[in-house]
Amino acid sequence: MKEEVRLIIAGPRGNMGKEAVKLVDETEHFVLVAAVDSKNNGKQLRELPGMPNIDAPVYDDMKTCLEEVEADVLIDLTTPEAGKRHLELALDHHVRPVVGTTGFTDSDVKRLREKAEEKEIGAIVAPNFAVGAILMMKFSQMAAKYFQDVEILEMHHDRKLDAPSGTAQKTASLINEVRPFKKQGHPEEKEELIGARGGEVEGIHIHSVRLPGLVAHQEVIFGGTGQTLTIRHDSMNRQSFMPGVKLAVESVLQLKTLVYGLENIME
Ligand SMILES: NC(=O)C1=CN([C@@H]2O[C@H](COP(=O)(O)OP(=O)(O)OC[C@H]3O[C@@H](n4cnc5c(N)ncnc54)[C@H](O)[C@@H]3O)[C@@H](O)[C@H]2O)C=CC1
Ligand SMILES: O=C(O)C1=N[C@H](C(=O)O)C[C@H](O)C1
C-alpha cells in the first residue's frame, strides 16, 4: 500500500481545480486536507456547488491555510499572479508545490528553484500535464535538429488569461536548446497590421488563437525545402491532464529541487 499524501488544492472551483478535486477524491492514498479559493472562506468543500462530499476547510488566504493545516503537497491551478505567490509560500512552509498554473518566466523559475534547493524540498512547475503534449514538445525538439524554420500555433478556449500559453513558450525554449538562433521570414518583411506575425521568442513566432469551443490545442509547424512537418496535440477535456497531475504529486515527494516541465520526470 502506498503512503498517504495530504494535499491542498488552490483553485478548486476552476476548470482544472474541479478535475483535481475529483482526482484526489478517487485516489486511495491521496487525502484532501484543505482548499484555497478566492472566496468561500470558512466553509467546507462539500458545501460548494458541484463538489464531492469531502470535509476539508476552505481558506481564502494561502498563508493562513499553510499555517493551520498540515500538508505534504500543494496543487496550484489558479492565476499567474496567485500561482507564483502560492509556490513561494508553500516552500516557506515546507509543503511541496505542484504548479500547473502558467505565466512563469525563466527568471521566476530560476529564483524559485534556488529557494527550493535552499529549503531542500521538491517543487514541480508543469506548463502542461498531458502526456501527449509532452511528447509533442519532445518530438518538436527532435525535429528542430533537421528543420530550423518553425512557427507555433496555439489555440485555446476564450476564458484563458495568459497569451501565449505556457506550453507554447516551453516548446519554443526546448526547440531553442538545440537550434542555433535564426531570424525567420523575409529579412525585409514588414508587419502591415501590428501582431500579424505573432509574438517572438528568440526568433520563433508564436500565434495565439482564443475561441469558445476550443480546450487546448497546439501545432508546431516546421518548414524545409519543398516540405513541411506539422506536429499537433489536442486536449479535448481537462481529464487529459490528470494522469500527469497524479504523477507530479507522487514524484515531487522524492525531489530536492524545482523541476520545470513534466518531461523531466517521465520515464
Ligand atoms: N499545466 C497544465 O496542464 C494546465 C494548466 N492550466 C493552467 O491552470 C490555470 C487555471 O486554469 P483553469 O482551471 O482553466 O482556470 P479557471 O479560471 O477555470 O480557474 C482558476 C481558479 O482559480 C481561482 N483563483 C484565482 N485567484 C485565486 C487565489 N488567489 N487563491 C485561490 N484561488 C484563486 C479562481 O476563483 C478560479 O476558480 C491557468 O494558469 C492555466 O493556464 C490549465 C490547463 C492545463
Ligand atoms: O489555460 C489552459 O487551458 C491551458 N493552459 C496551459 C498552457 O498555458 O499551456 C496548458 C494547456 O495548454 C491548457
Side-chain angles (χ1 to χ4, degrees):
M1 208 178 77
K2 288 194 180 168
E3 219 170 287
E4 186 176 280
V5 186
R6 296 165 301 176
L7 290 124
I8 298 170
I9 294 180
R13 288 179 303 112
N15 291 319
M16 282 291 281
K18 273 188 216 133
E19 285 300 329
V21 168
K22 223 183 288 168
L23 169 77
V24 172
D25 192 33
E26 288 167 1
T27 306
E28 213 182 332
H29 62 293
F30 287 1
V31 182
L32 190 61
V33 289
V36 179
D37 190 4
S38 44
K39 52 185 191 183
N40 297 308
N41 192 42
K43 290 192 177 166
Q44 292 292 316
L45 194 72
R46 64 180 151 69
E47 296 177 76
L48 274 46
M51 287 291 139
N53 191 20
I54 300 178
D55 265 322
V58 179
Y59 291 82
D60 66 358
D61 178 59
M62 179 61 77
K63 190 160 178 287
T64 314
C65 175
L66 291 164
E67 280 165 2
E68 294 187 1
V69 175
E70 292 256 325
D72 303 302
V73 176
L74 162 71
I75 300 177
D76 190 276
L77 299 160
T78 59
T79 62
E81 202 186 302
K84 281 174 220 169
R85 197 160 41 82
H86 291 171
L87 195 161
E88 200 141 10
L89 282 168
L91 291 177
D92 285 338
H93 289 80
H94 224 79
V95 173
R96 299 154 190 86
V98 166
V99 179
T101 308
T102 44
F104 284 66
T105 63
D106 286 347
S107 72
D108 292 327
V109 170
K110 185 170 177 286
R111 179 175 54 81
L112 293 162
R113 180 176 291 131
E114 280 165 10
K115 185 156 184 163
E117 287 177 1
E118 192 189 300
K119 303 267 177 191
E120 297 188 357
I121 58 168
I124 295 176
V125 176
N128 203 312
F129 286 116
V131 172
I134 304 298
L135 292 175
M136 166 191 62
M137 291 187 251
K138 287 194 87 98
F139 295 158
S140 299
Q141 193 182 44
M142 283 167 69
K145 286 190 188 160
Y146 307 96
F147 291 91
Q148 287 178 359
D149 289 79
V150 52
E151 303 218 357
I152 299 172
L153 176 63
E154 60 96 336
M155 295 157 279
H156 281 83
H157 58 94
D158 65 348
R159 300 292 87 203
K160 186 163 177 58
L161 290 174
D162 52 322
S165 68
T167 307
Q169 296 191 62
K170 179 75 177 166
T171 308
S173 84
L174 286 171
I175 290 173
N176 279 329
E177 279 175 19
V178 299
R179 181 189 96 130
F181 177 82
K182 181 166 185 196
K183 176 99 184 102
Q184 292 179 195
H186 196 289
E188 286 163 32
E189 85 177 9
K190 210 167 95 214
E191 258 188 353
E192 303 291 356
L193 178 69
I194 292 172
R197 293 287 288 120
E200 202 185 314
V201 178
E202 292 175 53
I204 301 180
H205 291 255
I206 303 179
H207 309 269
S208 298
V209 175
R210 297 290 176 263
L211 285 172
L214 294 172
V215 178
H217 317 262
Q218 180 168 294
E219 285 187 0
V220 187
I221 310 166
F222 295 89
T225 310
Q227 58 183 320
T228 65
L229 169 68
T230 303
I231 301 173
R232 179 175 172 123
H233 176 259
D234 298 273
S235 268
M236 308 303 192
N237 55 45
R238 272 87 186 182
Q239 280 165 283
S240 63
F241 302 110
M242 292 306 127
V245 174
K246 183 166 183 276
L247 174 68
V249 169
E250 285 165 347
S251 307
V252 78
L253 299 164
Q254 326 300 333
L255 299 171
K256 292 220 181 307
T257 184
L258 183 152
V259 165
Y260 179 45
L262 212 64
E263 66 279 8
N264 298 303
I265 55 169
M266 270 168 61
E267 290 293 307

